[in-house]
Amino acid sequence: MIITYNPQSEEKGFWLIPSEEKEQVSFHDLKINSDIFSGKANTNYTLALNDSVYIFIGLGDKLTYKSIKTAFRRFAHQNKAIKTNDLKIDLSRLDDHLHVEAAISGLMLGTYDLGHFKVDKKKHAFLNQDFTIELNIDNTFQSTVEKALKIAKNQLDTFDCVDLPAHVVTPIHLAEKAKSLEKNVKISVKVFDRQEAEKIGLHSFLAVAKGSENEPQFITITYRNPLAKKHMGLVGKAITFDTGGYNIKTQGMVHMKCDMAGGATALGAMQLIADLDLNINVTAIIPACENRIDGKAFLPSDVINSYSGKTIEIIDTDAEGRLVLADGISYLLKHHKPDVMIDVATLTGSAVATFGDVCAASFTNNEELASQVKNIGESIGEKSWPLPLWDEYKSQMDSDIADIKNLATKPTAGAITAAKFLEFFVENHPAWMHLDIAGVSFVDDEFAKTKHASAWGVHLLAKLAESI
Ligand code: BES
Ligand code: ZN
Ligand code: ZN
């Protein structure tokens, strides 16, 4: 089969054209001395012979989804200016569908260009109109390859969304992106602006939005499949920029364009679920606004209301994510009654301090959901690790003046006390999970000089939707 990418086409993405019988390039006659190249992970070997250049990619002997994806992403990333239009890739030694998926997804992710604003932007060679990749792979992998391309396309979209700065990715930008999903007939989108949100009482969401001139957007995306047996609810934190508000950030503010990564993850997962036409109903709530400062901004010591009717004492305006999530969760529960509810958010520095960029912090009241998310995450390199929701942590969120306060008394266990705050709005829903993705969604790695988006969770949530 041949993968072609046509930049002229309306539809952004890669797709497959079945090949007529083509002569396969065989590598098996080429003998490489193992002292020179043994196939160790993170190595490669280039050989020019006759009129061809052969590049051997070492995958090592411990194949994981992530190691394969990274190796192929690296190949594409490093060959942005490759001087050929017809690349042949031999994947015949991969016999596991997930491994093939990882290789193809990685290859496509390697075309990502972070230089959105560069004047002299050079398009990746793979994206040239007449560029083709011919895969040497058994035809039984056709649907796997198609799926891998859909996964990568939505991850690339999520990269754009998180990496672009806050003057581009405003709440309205996110709402427009959400509305564009309606081209799939199974998706509908509803958006409340500031006035509509006020009318229905999204007070906690609006308290955060008060300090910004950018119109807040409370976005609901629904995907309905008539064959669905289950309903999954998502809530994604989308603070398009987090200055901290009056508790202004003194460190790391420059990275806070990533504070909408939870919302971008929910959006990306929705697109992917729709692209894969999964037999499930999904509702995603994306409360999108900015946390800024001006004369109207909320203050520490304010007491605010919420959609649930519960009152909240504001201790710190930088603990804003939980405020928009609280209203997102209450709204989702009241109007959509999902069987399973997952919120995803760049919520705390504490999750970063605990797990770094290796895994997300997960919190749940449901054992089955815990093992599903853990196992799926391990199979695709999007790991999470559980932290407890013990009641000993709840008393730290008790307020004298209101029903709850937005920051714990002690400066310890921040990721857990934030989760306890959210739990207060979950109304004993039996299958809720909170994923704190502050450490994993915006990362330092070999693919850029600065921190950038990872699209962590897009694939995980779609795969979860496939299995519940
Ligand atoms: N958006 C931040 C959390 C964050 C930290 C995201 C690092 C990505 C990387 C969140 O709104 C925040 O400011 N949390 C504070 C809470 C503080 C007031 C205790 C934090 O965790 O530092
Ligand atoms: Zn904050
Ligand atoms: Zn935040």
Side-chain angles (χ1 to χ4, degrees), residues 237 242-244 249 256 259 291 316-321 347:
K237 169 180 172 182
D242 182 12
T243 66
K249 285 192 181 293
M256 285 304 132
D259 215 20
N291 187 21
D316 194 312
T317 59
D318 199 11
E320 84 299 335
L347 205 63

Side-chain angles (χ1 to χ4, degrees), residues 92-254:
S92 58
R93 288 187 204 172
L94 296 179
D95 53 9
D96 181 314
H97 282 263
L98 271 181
H99 290 168
V100 170
E101 184 186 286
I104 301 296
S105 281
L107 206 58
M108 295 313 156
L109 292 185
T111 65
Y112 182 61
D113 186 354
L114 203 57
H116 296 283
F117 292 90
K118 283 197 188 291
V119 175
D120 192 15
K121 194 171 168 170
K122 297 220 168 51
K123 210 161 51 174
H124 195 290
F126 291 8
L127 306 181
N128 288 334
Q129 197 182 0
D130 42 4
F131 192 90
T132 60
I133 296 176
E134 188 178 321
L135 288 184
N136 180 20
I137 192 172
D138 194 281
N139 274 343
T140 54
F141 287 99
Q142 168 117 11
S143 62
T144 304
V145 173
E146 280 165 6
K147 188 172 182 180
L149 295 173
K150 288 176 182 167
I151 295 166
K153 182 189 94 167
N154 288 303
Q155 288 171 329
L156 284 167
D157 233 30
T158 311
F159 286 178
D160 282 342
C161 206
V162 176
D163 285 333
L164 282 166
H167 64 88
V168 178
V169 183
T170 57
I172 287 181
H173 176 96
L174 287 178
E176 277 164 3
K177 236 178 131 36
K179 281 183 199 146
S180 75
L181 303 192
E182 282 183 324
K183 63 179 180 287
N184 182 315
V185 291
K186 295 193 176 98
I187 290 189
S188 335
V189 177
K190 193 163 73 178
V191 179
F192 297 135
D193 60 14
R194 200 187 297 267
Q195 226 185 355
E196 290 158 324
E198 249 155 37
K199 209 152 84 192
I200 66 161
L202 293 163
H203 305 293
S204 183
F205 166 64
L206 287 170
V208 178
K210 266 163 80 180
S212 173
E213 284 193 350
N214 275 318
E215 187 78 358
Q217 305 275 285
F218 190 89
I219 306 164
T220 303
I221 313 174
T222 56
Y223 168 78
R224 295 289 178 264
N225 189 321
L227 301 173
K229 293 203 172 59
K230 284 277 164 85
H231 183 182
M232 178 167 93
L234 300 174
V235 185
K237 169 180 172 182
I239 300 295
T240 54
F241 198 84
D242 182 12
T243 66
Y246 275 97
N247 291 101
I248 194 162
K249 285 192 181 293
T250 52
Q251 271 186 336
M253 198 199 290
V254 68

